[in-house]
Every structure is written in C-alpha cells, then in structure tokens.
Amino acid sequence: KNQVEQSPQSLIILEGKNCTLQCNYTVSPFSNLRWYKQDTGRGPVSLTIMTFSENTKSNGRYTATLDADTKQSSLHITASQLSDSASYICVVKGYSTLTFGKGTMLLVSP
Amino acid sequence: EAGVVQSPRYKIIEKKQPVAFWCNPISGHNTLYWYRQNLGQGPELLIRYENEEAVDDSQLPKDRFSAERLKGVDSTLKIQPAELGDSAVYLCASSPQQGGGSYEQYFGPGTRLTVT
C-alpha cells in the first residue's frame, strides 16, 4: 500500500531558528515528490517538486532533499519567520496517483 | 491570472440536507481534482477529471456523493444527504495535465462544511 509518513507531527520553534521536517514514503512506482505549505484556512501551495534524479532543490529559505534509495525526503527551513507558521505536507506521485502525508504543523514563536 | 475559485467558502447545514460546492479551475487546465481534508489530515482524493471525463472516482462515496464537469471547465460536487461525518474542508485543484508528468497542482481555498 502506498504510504507517506511525516515527522514530527507538530513543531514549535523560535523565530530566526532553523528546522527540518521529515518525510518517508513507500510509493511505487515513484514519479516525483512535492512539498506543500498550507496556511490555516487556505489551500496548499507548492514549495518544491523533485524527480528521481534530483537530490536537492531550493525555494528561497526552503530547501528540500530527496534520497530515492532510502525513500526519504526532508524540508529544511532557514531563518524561520512568523509567516512560516503553517502545515507542511509531503506528497508523492506514483504513475497517476498522489499520496499525501498528514502534514507537520509548524508554529514559529516570536 | 486568477487562481482556482471555489464557492461557497463556508457552509453549515443540518444532517440529511443536500449541499453543493462549485469550482472554477485555472483557465486552460484540463485536469480537475476534488479532495476532502479532515482536520489534522492531508487531503484525500475524491475524484479526478481529465476534461469532462471522470478518470478516477474510486474513493468517491457514490451512494451520497456525485460530481459533474459537463463542459470540461467548472465542476460541481454534491452531497445528498449529508451526514455528520462529512464535516470537512473540500478542496478543488487543477493542473495543466496529468499522466506521468511533473505538472504542478494548484489548489483553491476550499469550502469548509459543517454538518450539525
């Protein structure tokens, strides 16, 4: 069964600090992996999309890594800001289906 | 460019009542998705359209849920009758194309349904 597991479930950090969110998946075949940011009351917004051959991809202060051998991905947030408070969802695409993780709820505290 | 538009944004109904949600995807996007998102969970696909054809509706509870995309543009998702467990956020998303590509999915703001 295709699954995407995210950790931690929730996280509180101080403004300006860095953090790393984890994603493990068992989706096969693998097409690509996406990280989304979902603000409260809004739809998810894409941060990065990575294919099998990509190990790392950055979008501003967000850097995603992918290890296709171990089927793990991480999202690193640098110099966090209050506006980074949101749910971060890892999504893995097989041939035609998308499998969503439950998300990590991040709270950046002043 | 306008994003994915959904309406209404919020809906409160009593159980056993019908309810409908509307979605207008980004212009030119031929793939449209309806998702249900429960609190603290990731979105779950209900149905995916390629133009006007429903190509994946395996997770749609067909006894009470129905959807249509008659002209391959906007779409309506209906629940009749609603149950307490249907309370959730219903998200619509669109993409230029599906299949094996890395096409980006764009989500609407969602409709938050509360069934009392």
Side-chain angles (χ1 to χ4, degrees), chain B residues 66-81:
Chain B
S66 64
E68 60 183 15
R69 193 186 184 199
L70 294 176
K71 297 182 180 179
V73 181
D74 58 342
S75 176
T76 302
L77 177 69
K78 298 178 181 178
I79 308 175
Q80 182 171 9

Side-chain angles (χ1 to χ4, degrees), chain A residues 18-110:
Chain A
N18 303 335
C19 68
T20 300
L21 314 180
Q22 301 290 341
C23 173
N24 297 336
Y25 62 93
T26 59
V27 177
S28 181
F30 175 87
S31 179
N32 58 65
L33 185 145
R34 309 153 180 229
W35 283 95
Y36 285 88
K37 178 187 179 188
Q38 185 173 22
D39 292 312
T40 301
R42 310 288 291 271
V45 175
S46 179
L47 295 174
T48 64
I49 298 178
M50 288 187 293
T51 59
F52 184 89
S53 60
E54 296 176 295
N55 300 119
T56 184
K57 203 161 195 178
S58 292
N59 178 359
R61 294 180 296 101
Y62 300 100
T63 300
T65 65
L66 174 63
D67 186 336
D69 291 331
T70 61
K71 299 186 177 181
Q72 296 179 325
S73 175
S74 66
L75 180 68
H76 186 75
I77 304 175
T78 303
S80 61
Q81 300 176 357
L82 298 179
S83 59
D84 293 331
S85 295
S87 177
Y88 292 84
I89 304 173
C90 176
V91 185
V92 180
K93 186 174 186 296
Y95 176 69
S96 63
T97 60
L98 292 172
T99 303
F100 287 74
K102 294 182 178 181
T104 291
M105 180 63 69
L106 174 66
L107 176 62
V108 180
S109 176

Side-chain angles (χ1 to χ4, degrees), chain B residues 20-52:
Chain B
F21 315 123
W22 177 78
C23 172
N24 192 31
I26 292 174
S27 178
H29 284 193
N30 58 2
T31 305
L32 183 146
Y33 313 76
W34 281 105
Y35 291 91
R36 176 170 58 190
Q37 186 176 26
N38 292 307
L39 188 64
Q41 304 291 315
E44 299 173 317
L45 180 69
L46 292 174
I47 189 168
R48 172 168 65 92
Y49 282 94
E50 295 287 346
N51 298 305
E52 65 275 7

